[in-house]
Short mmCIF file of all heavy atoms in Angstrom, two decimals:
data_model
loop_
_atom_site.label_atom_id
_atom_site.label_comp_id
_atom_site.label_asym_id
_atom_site.label_seq_id
_atom_site.Cartn_x
_atom_site.Cartn_y
_atom_site.Cartn_z
N PRO A 73 84.27 96.42 101.86
CA PRO A 73 83.90 97.80 101.48
C PRO A 73 83.29 97.88 100.09
O PRO A 73 83.73 97.01 99.22
CB PRO A 73 85.22 98.56 101.63
CG PRO A 73 86.14 97.71 102.30
CD PRO A 73 85.77 96.28 102.12
N GLY A 74 82.45 98.81 99.81
CA GLY A 74 82.06 99.06 98.42
C GLY A 74 83.33 99.37 97.60
O GLY A 74 84.27 99.91 98.05
N LEU A 75 83.31 98.87 96.32
CA LEU A 75 84.50 99.03 95.49
C LEU A 75 84.60 100.54 95.07
O LEU A 75 83.53 101.16 94.87
CB LEU A 75 84.39 98.13 94.33
CG LEU A 75 84.21 96.59 94.56
CD1 LEU A 75 84.22 95.81 93.30
CD2 LEU A 75 85.23 96.07 95.61
N VAL A 76 85.82 100.93 94.81
CA VAL A 76 86.06 102.28 94.37
C VAL A 76 86.73 102.21 92.96
O VAL A 76 87.85 101.62 92.88
CB VAL A 76 86.95 103.07 95.34
CG1 VAL A 76 87.25 104.50 94.89
CG2 VAL A 76 86.29 103.08 96.76
N ASP A 77 86.10 102.75 91.93
CA ASP A 77 86.68 102.69 90.63
C ASP A 77 87.41 104.06 90.44
O ASP A 77 86.70 105.08 90.17
CB ASP A 77 85.62 102.44 89.55
CG ASP A 77 86.23 102.17 88.20
OD1 ASP A 77 87.42 102.50 88.01
OD2 ASP A 77 85.56 101.58 87.35
N GLY A 78 88.70 104.09 90.48
CA GLY A 78 89.46 105.38 90.48
C GLY A 78 89.82 105.92 89.13
O GLY A 78 90.52 106.91 89.08
N HIS A 79 89.36 105.38 88.02
CA HIS A 79 89.66 105.85 86.72
C HIS A 79 88.67 105.41 85.67
O HIS A 79 88.60 104.28 85.33
CB HIS A 79 91.11 105.36 86.41
CG HIS A 79 91.65 105.76 85.06
ND1 HIS A 79 92.97 106.16 84.93
CD2 HIS A 79 91.06 105.91 83.85
CE1 HIS A 79 93.15 106.41 83.62
NE2 HIS A 79 92.05 106.28 82.96
N THR A 80 87.82 106.33 85.27
CA THR A 80 86.85 106.08 84.20
C THR A 80 86.73 107.26 83.26
O THR A 80 87.03 108.37 83.61
CB THR A 80 85.43 105.70 84.74
OG1 THR A 80 84.80 106.97 85.01
CG2 THR A 80 85.45 104.81 85.93
N HIS A 81 86.22 106.98 82.05
CA HIS A 81 85.92 107.98 81.09
C HIS A 81 84.47 107.71 80.66
O HIS A 81 84.19 107.24 79.54
CB HIS A 81 86.79 107.87 79.79
CG HIS A 81 88.29 107.89 80.07
ND1 HIS A 81 89.05 108.98 79.74
CD2 HIS A 81 89.07 106.96 80.60
CE1 HIS A 81 90.33 108.62 80.00
NE2 HIS A 81 90.41 107.43 80.58
N MET A 82 83.54 107.83 81.56
CA MET A 82 82.19 107.28 81.40
C MET A 82 81.22 108.22 80.62
O MET A 82 80.13 107.75 80.33
CB MET A 82 81.57 106.89 82.72
CG MET A 82 81.36 108.01 83.66
SD MET A 82 80.45 107.47 85.13
CE MET A 82 81.62 106.52 85.98
N VAL A 83 81.58 109.47 80.40
CA VAL A 83 80.70 110.35 79.68
C VAL A 83 81.16 110.42 78.26
O VAL A 83 82.22 110.97 77.94
CB VAL A 83 80.72 111.77 80.29
CG1 VAL A 83 79.65 112.66 79.63
CG2 VAL A 83 80.53 111.75 81.79
N PHE A 84 80.38 109.91 77.31
CA PHE A 84 80.83 109.92 75.94
C PHE A 84 79.61 109.72 74.97
O PHE A 84 78.71 109.07 75.31
CB PHE A 84 81.94 108.83 75.65
CG PHE A 84 81.55 107.48 76.01
CD1 PHE A 84 80.84 106.64 75.12
CD2 PHE A 84 81.94 106.91 77.24
CE1 PHE A 84 80.51 105.35 75.43
CE2 PHE A 84 81.63 105.62 77.58
CZ PHE A 84 80.88 104.81 76.63
N GLY A 85 79.76 110.33 73.78
CA GLY A 85 78.74 110.11 72.79
C GLY A 85 79.15 108.86 71.96
O GLY A 85 80.34 108.62 71.73
N GLY A 86 78.18 108.10 71.51
CA GLY A 86 78.41 106.97 70.56
C GLY A 86 79.22 105.85 71.22
O GLY A 86 79.37 105.77 72.52
N TYR A 87 79.62 104.95 70.38
CA TYR A 87 80.51 103.82 70.77
C TYR A 87 81.53 103.67 69.65
O TYR A 87 81.46 104.41 68.67
CB TYR A 87 79.71 102.55 70.97
CG TYR A 87 78.91 102.51 72.24
CD1 TYR A 87 77.58 102.92 72.29
CD2 TYR A 87 79.44 102.10 73.45
CE1 TYR A 87 76.80 102.91 73.42
CE2 TYR A 87 78.73 102.09 74.58
CZ TYR A 87 77.37 102.53 74.62
OH TYR A 87 76.71 102.51 75.82
N ARG A 88 82.45 102.71 69.78
CA ARG A 88 83.45 102.53 68.73
C ARG A 88 83.65 101.07 68.35
O ARG A 88 84.79 100.65 68.08
CB ARG A 88 84.81 103.10 69.26
CG ARG A 88 84.72 104.58 69.74
CD ARG A 88 85.89 105.37 69.21
NE ARG A 88 87.16 104.95 69.76
CZ ARG A 88 87.73 105.41 70.86
NH1 ARG A 88 87.15 106.35 71.60
NH2 ARG A 88 88.90 104.97 71.26
N GLN A 89 82.54 100.32 68.21
CA GLN A 89 82.68 98.95 67.93
C GLN A 89 83.26 98.82 66.46
O GLN A 89 83.78 97.74 66.14
CB GLN A 89 81.38 98.19 68.06
CG GLN A 89 80.19 98.61 67.16
CD GLN A 89 79.42 99.76 67.71
OE1 GLN A 89 80.04 100.77 68.18
NE2 GLN A 89 78.12 99.71 67.62
N ASN A 90 83.12 99.86 65.68
CA ASN A 90 83.71 99.83 64.29
C ASN A 90 85.25 99.66 64.31
O ASN A 90 85.82 99.34 63.24
CB ASN A 90 83.34 101.15 63.63
CG ASN A 90 83.90 102.42 64.37
OD1 ASN A 90 83.55 102.54 65.53
ND2 ASN A 90 84.65 103.18 63.69
N GLU A 91 85.84 99.89 65.45
CA GLU A 91 87.36 99.78 65.50
C GLU A 91 87.83 98.31 65.59
O GLU A 91 88.99 98.02 65.33
CB GLU A 91 87.91 100.54 66.77
CG GLU A 91 87.85 102.03 66.59
CD GLU A 91 88.40 102.75 67.79
OE1 GLU A 91 88.95 102.13 68.74
OE2 GLU A 91 88.32 103.99 67.79
N ILE A 92 86.94 97.47 66.00
CA ILE A 92 87.37 96.01 66.20
C ILE A 92 87.93 95.38 64.95
O ILE A 92 89.04 94.90 64.94
CB ILE A 92 86.30 95.19 66.86
CG1 ILE A 92 85.83 95.82 68.20
CG2 ILE A 92 86.75 93.76 67.04
CD1 ILE A 92 86.84 95.64 69.34
N PRO A 93 87.20 95.48 63.84
CA PRO A 93 87.76 94.91 62.59
C PRO A 93 89.12 95.52 62.20
O PRO A 93 89.98 94.79 61.75
CB PRO A 93 86.72 95.22 61.54
CG PRO A 93 85.44 95.39 62.34
CD PRO A 93 85.83 96.02 63.63
N LEU A 94 89.29 96.81 62.48
CA LEU A 94 90.57 97.46 62.18
C LEU A 94 91.72 96.91 63.05
O LEU A 94 92.73 96.54 62.60
CB LEU A 94 90.53 98.96 62.40
CG LEU A 94 89.45 99.76 61.61
CD1 LEU A 94 89.42 101.25 62.07
CD2 LEU A 94 89.73 99.67 60.14
N LYS A 95 91.34 96.71 64.34
CA LYS A 95 92.32 96.14 65.26
C LYS A 95 92.70 94.73 64.87
O LYS A 95 93.84 94.30 64.92
CB LYS A 95 91.69 96.15 66.68
CG LYS A 95 91.79 97.39 67.42
CD LYS A 95 91.06 97.38 68.75
CE LYS A 95 91.54 96.22 69.72
NZ LYS A 95 90.98 96.38 71.08
N LEU A 96 91.64 93.96 64.47
CA LEU A 96 91.93 92.56 64.07
C LEU A 96 92.78 92.46 62.81
O LEU A 96 93.47 91.50 62.62
CB LEU A 96 90.62 91.81 63.89
CG LEU A 96 89.79 91.69 65.21
CD1 LEU A 96 88.50 90.88 64.93
CD2 LEU A 96 90.56 91.00 66.29
N LYS A 97 92.75 93.55 62.00
CA LYS A 97 93.61 93.51 60.82
C LYS A 97 95.01 94.07 61.16
O LYS A 97 95.83 94.24 60.26
CB LYS A 97 93.02 94.42 59.77
CG LYS A 97 91.87 93.73 58.94
CD LYS A 97 91.51 94.51 57.72
CE LYS A 97 90.12 94.18 57.19
NZ LYS A 97 89.28 95.35 57.01
N GLY A 98 95.22 94.42 62.43
CA GLY A 98 96.57 94.82 62.83
C GLY A 98 96.77 96.31 63.18
O GLY A 98 97.85 96.66 63.50
N ALA A 99 95.73 97.14 63.04
CA ALA A 99 95.93 98.55 63.37
C ALA A 99 96.08 98.74 64.86
O ALA A 99 95.31 98.12 65.65
CB ALA A 99 94.69 99.37 62.88
N GLY A 100 97.07 99.53 65.22
CA GLY A 100 97.33 99.80 66.68
C GLY A 100 96.51 100.92 67.15
O GLY A 100 95.91 101.68 66.38
N TYR A 101 96.42 101.05 68.53
CA TYR A 101 95.61 102.12 69.12
C TYR A 101 96.02 103.52 68.60
O TYR A 101 95.16 104.32 68.21
CB TYR A 101 95.80 102.02 70.63
CG TYR A 101 94.99 103.02 71.47
CD1 TYR A 101 93.65 102.81 71.74
CD2 TYR A 101 95.66 104.20 71.90
CE1 TYR A 101 92.95 103.74 72.43
CE2 TYR A 101 94.93 105.11 72.66
CZ TYR A 101 93.55 104.90 72.89
OH TYR A 101 92.88 105.79 73.59
N LEU A 102 97.32 103.76 68.55
CA LEU A 102 97.75 105.07 68.06
C LEU A 102 97.57 105.26 66.55
O LEU A 102 97.37 106.37 66.06
CB LEU A 102 99.19 105.34 68.44
CG LEU A 102 99.41 105.58 69.98
CD1 LEU A 102 100.89 105.83 70.26
CD2 LEU A 102 98.58 106.72 70.53
N ASP A 103 97.64 104.18 65.78
CA ASP A 103 97.40 104.30 64.34
C ASP A 103 95.98 104.79 64.09
O ASP A 103 95.76 105.67 63.19
CB ASP A 103 97.44 102.94 63.64
CG ASP A 103 98.87 102.25 63.79
OD1 ASP A 103 99.83 103.02 63.85
OD2 ASP A 103 98.91 101.02 63.85
N ILE A 104 95.00 104.25 64.87
CA ILE A 104 93.62 104.66 64.68
C ILE A 104 93.42 106.09 65.05
O ILE A 104 92.84 106.91 64.39
CB ILE A 104 92.70 103.75 65.52
CG1 ILE A 104 92.82 102.28 64.95
CG2 ILE A 104 91.26 104.23 65.50
CD1 ILE A 104 92.07 101.20 65.76
N LEU A 105 94.13 106.55 66.12
CA LEU A 105 94.04 107.89 66.62
C LEU A 105 94.71 108.85 65.55
O LEU A 105 94.11 109.87 65.17
CB LEU A 105 94.72 108.09 67.95
CG LEU A 105 94.76 109.45 68.59
CD1 LEU A 105 93.34 109.93 68.86
CD2 LEU A 105 95.52 109.51 69.88
N ARG A 106 95.84 108.48 65.06
CA ARG A 106 96.58 109.37 64.07
C ARG A 106 95.71 109.53 62.78
O ARG A 106 95.82 110.54 62.11
CB ARG A 106 97.93 108.73 63.73
CG ARG A 106 98.96 108.90 64.82
CD ARG A 106 100.29 108.40 64.40
NE ARG A 106 101.18 108.12 65.52
CZ ARG A 106 101.58 106.90 65.86
NH1 ARG A 106 101.25 105.85 65.18
NH2 ARG A 106 102.28 106.77 66.98
N ALA A 107 94.89 108.55 62.48
CA ALA A 107 94.02 108.64 61.27
C ALA A 107 92.79 109.39 61.55
O ALA A 107 91.84 109.35 60.73
CB ALA A 107 93.77 107.20 60.79
N GLY A 108 92.68 109.96 62.72
CA GLY A 108 91.48 110.80 63.03
C GLY A 108 90.34 109.98 63.69
O GLY A 108 89.25 110.54 63.90
N GLY A 109 90.63 108.76 64.04
CA GLY A 109 89.62 107.90 64.74
C GLY A 109 89.92 107.84 66.25
O GLY A 109 90.47 108.86 66.78
N GLY A 110 89.57 106.80 66.91
CA GLY A 110 89.84 106.65 68.34
C GLY A 110 89.22 107.78 69.15
O GLY A 110 88.05 108.07 68.99
N ILE A 111 90.00 108.35 70.02
CA ILE A 111 89.43 109.41 70.91
C ILE A 111 88.80 110.54 70.04
O ILE A 111 87.73 111.07 70.39
CB ILE A 111 90.62 110.04 71.77
CG1 ILE A 111 91.16 109.00 72.76
CG2 ILE A 111 90.11 111.26 72.52
CD1 ILE A 111 92.46 109.44 73.51
N LEU A 112 89.40 110.90 68.89
CA LEU A 112 88.86 111.98 68.09
C LEU A 112 87.48 111.57 67.54
O LEU A 112 86.62 112.49 67.35
CB LEU A 112 89.82 112.37 66.95
CG LEU A 112 91.16 112.96 67.49
CD1 LEU A 112 92.06 113.22 66.34
CD2 LEU A 112 90.89 114.21 68.27
#
Side-chain angles (χ1 to χ4, degrees):
L75 307 183
V76 179
D77 192 340
H79 179 138
T80 79
H81 307 251
M82 64 171 72
V83 186
F84 55 85
Y87 284 94
R88 306 223 296 269
Q89 65 275 45
N90 58 305
E91 286 179 7
I92 301 287
L94 303 175
K95 278 174 58 169
L96 295 180
K97 280 194 202 128
Y101 182 78
L102 291 180
D103 300 328
I104 296 172
L105 179 64
R106 285 184 202 113
I111 296 173
L112 294 176

